[in-house]
Amino acid sequence: MNPDAQKVTGAHVTETPMQAERATTIFEKSHPGRRAAALPALDVPDRDVSELLPAGAARARGPRMPEIAEPEIVRHYNRLSRRNFDLDSGFYPLGSCTMKHNPKLHERAAALPGFSRLHPLQPAERAQGALELMWNLERSLSEICGLPHVCLQPSAGSHGELSGLLLTKAYHEDRGEHRTKVLAPDTSHGTNPASVTMAGYETVKVATNERGGVDIDDLRAKADDSVACLMLTNPNTLGLFDENIEEIASIMHGVGATLYYDGANLNAVMGVSRPGDMGFDIVHVNLHKSFTQPHGGGGPGSGPIAVSDRIAPYLPVPRIAQKDGRFELNTDEPKSIGRMRGFQGNFGVFVRSYAYICSLGAEGLKAASETAVLNANYMLAKGREGRVGKYLPVEFDRTCKHEYVLSAAPAKKELNVKALDIAKRLLDFGYHPPTIYFPLLVDEAMMIEPTETETVETLDGFIEALDKILEEAERDPEFVQNAPYTTPVRRLDEAAAARNPVVTQDLDALA
Amino acid sequence: MLDAIGVGSVDDLFNDVPDGVRLQGPLKLPAGKTEDEVYTHLAELAGKNVHADSEISFLGAGMYDHYQPAIVDSILSRSEFLTPYTPYQPEVSQGGLQVMFEYQTAIAELTGMDVSNASVYEGPSAMAAAAYLAKLETGRSRFVVSAAVNPQYRATLKTNAYGYGSSVIEVPAAEGLTDPATLAAAIDDDTAAVFLQNPNFFGAVEDLAALVEAAHAKGALVVCVADPLTLGILAPPGDFGVDICVGEGQTLGNRLDFGGPSFGFFAATQKLIRRMPGRIAGETTDADGRRGWVLTLQTREQHIRREKATSNICTSQALNALAGMIYLSWLGRAGIVEIGELMIKRTAYARETLAAVEGVELLFDAPVVREFAIKLDAPVQTVLDQLALDGINGGYPLGTDYPEHEHGLLVAITERRSRAQIDLLAERLGAAVAAARETVGAEA
Amino acid sequence: MAEEHYPEDLKYHPEHDWARVEGDAATLGITWFAQDALGEIVFFEPPAVGTQLIKDSAYAEVESVKAVSEVIAPLSGEVIEANGALGDAPETINDDPYGEGWMVKIKLADPGEADGLLDVTAYRQHLEEGV
């Protein structure tokens, strides 16, 4: 437990050294004439730039980039880095985000010049190693998803969703059908309806039953031949496996719709159950979740899609093909929806995720999912007791998969302490809080995903911290309401930021 | 742990998975490997690729061989930047949020736009995101794009527009430039936006003032794709009144990485800020009055506005944008101008030198900055294959995307291409063209 | 933030909007309950003068940091005045929902429509039923 958290408990709050340090931007550290880069000397005849450009095309005043030497750049960003909490420093049970350990080998492999210095338009015959890696990754994801075809191109989960919906559209239109609706459960992630709109469809919500799964009667009522697709994740955003998945698939296929699997929760079922076997036609995989691409403070990610035979003709180009032991990139696919982005996708992410799959192998991937589920159920069980069970009950009490959702509604009602307050107080204890206020279906939701790479001691420590915070709240709710105390800054005024957005620095004011 | 849960085995935790959807037997994947074995396997795959350090590369067309200073990798390898998620808890994410704010400031300043978001995936999808914004903002549904815009950007726009039923009209680029009158003629009352690139795909500098005027006269927004490393010497798109400026950020300190991850930048006028896609960091204060940053204007985003969101983007490219910000700090106020000047002067030299080679002429005459098109009097692929044997990557064959330029080759110059390398290219290109002509002649 | 209260002289819509009817015109806004549910309001853009509002339909959006809510027209009519001051100070809606936090004034299309709205007693009962 973080000793600082103990120190402030019930005592007066003292400013930490990091809090005392006022944030200064790199532009504010800029000083005329300072620099870091030394560029090659001019080795060709000198020319007047304005003569080389059309009239009016030259920039009158150079852009005001920082003027700062290398040691100060390094210090600036090192100091900033200390104002971040990160997975390598502590437990990060952020539900739906699968914050598992990022093996260090992956960074070394991704930095190999044969990968990192490879131009994306290098002709296939001189990029055989990269294409072979992509091919192997495609085959591995195909096996894990239980679907025959994979396209690695989409840049992230929501980009994969949009790709999948465009594939659905192309599939139906190719059959002469114009469908208008996409069904998604009321527990779905916000990217689902946003992607649906971008693909030109209307979202229709499907209700959740008392077991936390899809309400079959509601689904039946809404499934007709105007429905293009059902978007689902299984286990769902409550962390629960939908036992009716076969029936759901049969209903959707019965009306000619496709079934889309949001792979955000794939970490629960690798090697146990495959979306393709559940009846899904299209799956996106978040390589930055189940397959350990470090999240980088908000990206990069990667969202490959796996599809069934009937969807394959429409996949984005270029497609990797293997011919006589050589790999090539095909763009000549007449029914393809085209491109979702430039080049072949986030290749650097593919290297890391491929390394992960190679390291774990078939048995290791299954063990990863089993351990993720074991860890989540262990935390769930430990949290049934004591204050956690009393004030933060689980919303749907059954065996969960890799994550579960608590409701802080009793804490709010009885202690006047909300999910947000508990989350902020957890920061003082050195933990990243769970995902809060999602899914929307659960009042005061706290969504906990421990992942497989945590020890039982860590899981116990977190439950103890929750108990301790609730104890504090019983004694002094205001203390928890005003948390955090030990973080680089304290609770921030988000309303002021939104009312009067200051999103760039006023460089004129610095001059 | 099983006792605490009250089950006998881990298998019991999967009792809710029906037999019909359970995988029978193990995944058909190889067994796990040691760290050493995996590294060796990957190093072997990497070794099969011819990369930018193992040849002299004049290949560009969207990504470029620039030097990535060592401080970029050094700072990016810090766990505190590498391993957090999106900054949902601002109190413990001030480092990342402040980087976003600095990055937004730098991009707005470079592009001459009012505001920037914290990054999107990459270049082409950034332009597609701008199209969606334009559609929401104007309520119109057509897009007009110059054929001088990078073909991958145009293809990505078309795929996205297909989703929401917008049409994309292409305007030809004769002489390697977009003609304002031709552009104006293609715009109608239902045109949401016009898409330009400067310098364009052929490397040529467009007459942005005239093109923007033509578009605005008909109420269409202007989306301009820019190359950030040329903006030290080129007047920024914002100065010409473009509404949205997007582009590929790879040139700012990011790896080639066979095409990604890099980042896309997305900058716009103040008027459009509430329709911007993606994350935006904003300045505020904490409970004690300390300066700090948060993700702001979140009601634009998918997790709140859901089906009415301005975009579906969630994960973007924070780490790559940090690389961009470190690079811009390294280059600095003087360096961003110097690198632009070095590129334009070397490009001028390369253009003249190559144009003097027998069997080589310029495809277009328009002024260029860092890339230019030539025309070979020989089959382009044959010439490129010969150059490859000499350890030179000669550039990008334009015939791939422009059948009318079957003999065209796009040559890119960076600060890493010296006069000696340019001279070598000229020499070998001359020899390769001559040899290819002989072969063609012999076959004929 | 203001204390919870519901003025006697207003008419209420079940979607938590109020109307102050004066002759053939009415001033519209959102109730204390609505602004409390949203939390700190950060953005409100009123419709332009001349916009036609249709009873029970959304005519604007009001945003807090992490929520967006549609503002429903309790009555039909044409906007004759909009509260532009809310653009710079949307928090006025929290501070004074029935006074300075008013949103638009409309010329009623059908003054008879007001009879269908709830009075304060009925609205309070509606709130107690937990909607």
Side-chain angles (χ1 to χ4, degrees), chain A residues 164-406:
Chain A
L165 289 162
L166 295 177
L167 292 174
T168 286
K169 196 177 192 97
Y171 164 75
H172 289 304
E173 288 186 356
D174 199 23
R175 295 155 54 92
E177 292 183 9
H178 183 72
R179 296 179 177 233
T180 56
K181 295 177 199 158
V182 171
L183 306 184
D186 50 12
T187 54
S188 74
H189 196 265
T191 54
N192 289 181
S195 299
V196 167
T197 306
M198 291 178 80
Y201 288 115
E202 180 199 343
T203 307
V204 177
K205 278 190 211 170
V206 182
T208 297
N209 67 19
E210 71 287 350
R211 298 264 300 154
V214 170
D215 183 325
I216 297 284
D217 292 338
D218 195 43
L219 181 70
R220 239 184 253 288
K222 286 167 181 167
D224 59 34
D225 62 8
S226 70
V227 174
C229 178
L230 168 67
M231 298 181 88
L232 214 59
T233 171
N234 196 22
N236 61 21
T237 51
L238 296 162
L240 305 173
F241 195 91
D242 201 314
E243 307 118 313
N244 301 320
I245 187 63
E246 291 161 298
E247 189 177 357
I248 292 167
S250 136
I251 292 170
M252 296 321 294
H253 289 156
V255 297
T258 64
L259 216 61
Y260 184 92
Y261 184 94
D262 178 334
N265 298 337
L266 191 66
N267 206 49
V269 291
M270 295 186 296
V272 176
S273 181
R274 308 190 302 175
D277 299 338
M278 297 180 211
F280 287 91
D281 297 281
I282 308 167
V283 173
H284 87 251
V285 178
N286 301 80
L287 294 184
H288 48 290
K289 293 182 180 174
S290 311
F291 298 94
T292 72
Q293 160 67 28
H295 208 275
S302 179
I305 43 179
V307 303
S308 59
D309 285 330
R310 62 173 176 160
I311 304 297
Y314 314 100
L315 280 171
V317 286
R319 305 273 305 116
I320 305 173
Q322 191 187 29
K323 209 164 135 189
D324 307 327
R326 306 292 288 169
F327 298 93
E328 52 191 46
L329 285 171
N330 283 344
T331 51
D332 187 24
E333 300 284 348
K335 290 188 172 181
S336 166
I337 56 167
R339 275 193 170 276
M340 293 306 296
R341 54 162 289 162
F343 309 119
Q344 289 79 240
N346 282 342
F347 178 81
V349 179
F350 307 156
V351 176
R352 293 170 176 88
S353 292
Y354 178 63
Y356 179 72
I357 291 171
C358 288
S359 296
L360 267 68
E363 292 298 323
L365 288 172
K366 187 177 185 195
S369 282
E370 288 176 343
T371 310
V373 171
L374 175 68
N375 280 356
N377 277 287
Y378 176 78
M379 286 184 83
L380 175 60
K382 292 287 272 189
R384 276 207 189 89
E385 303 151 14
R387 289 187 189 83
V388 180
K390 181 176 173 193
Y391 298 117
L392 305 175
V394 63
E395 187 75 6
F396 293 88
D397 199 1
R398 45 180 274 214
T399 301
C400 67
K401 289 282 123 359
H402 64 309
E403 64 190 5
Y404 62 100
V405 181
L406 302 179

Side-chain angles (χ1 to χ4, degrees), chain B residues 146-148 171-186 196 206-207 210-211 214:
Chain B
S146 164
V171 175
E175 304 307 313
L177 287 172
T178 314
D179 174 48
T182 316
L183 183 78
L196 305 166
E206 298 273 14
D207 185 355
L211 295 168

Side-chain angles (χ1 to χ4, degrees), chain B residues 88 274 295 297-300 303-305 308, chain C residues 42-43 45 61 63-68 70:
Chain B
Y88 293 140
R274 288 183 180 274
L295 292 177
L297 300 173
Q298 293 191 59
T299 49
R300 298 166 295 115
H303 59 288
I304 294 172
R305 205 176 285 262
K308 289 181 183 169
Chain C
V42 298
F43 184 71
E45 193 172 33
E61 284 182 342
E63 298 183 9
S64 63
V65 174
K66 284 176 184 164
V68 183
E70 289 185 329

Side-chain angles (χ1 to χ4, degrees), chain C residues 50-106:
Chain C
T51 305
Q52 297 292 335
L53 307 194
I54 300 160
K55 185 176 187 295
D56 302 328
S57 298
Y59 68 88
E61 284 182 342
V62 61
E63 298 183 9
S64 63
V65 174
K66 284 176 184 164
V68 183
S69 180
E70 289 185 329
V71 183
I72 304 295
L75 297 168
S76 306
E78 180 182 325
V79 177
I80 51 173
E81 198 181 341
N83 190 353
L86 297 179
D88 288 332
E91 61 272 27
T92 311
I93 298 166
N94 296 123
D95 297 339
D96 189 6
Y98 308 107
E100 295 297 314
W102 65 276
M103 290 173 168
V104 292
K105 289 183 179 158
I106 60 171

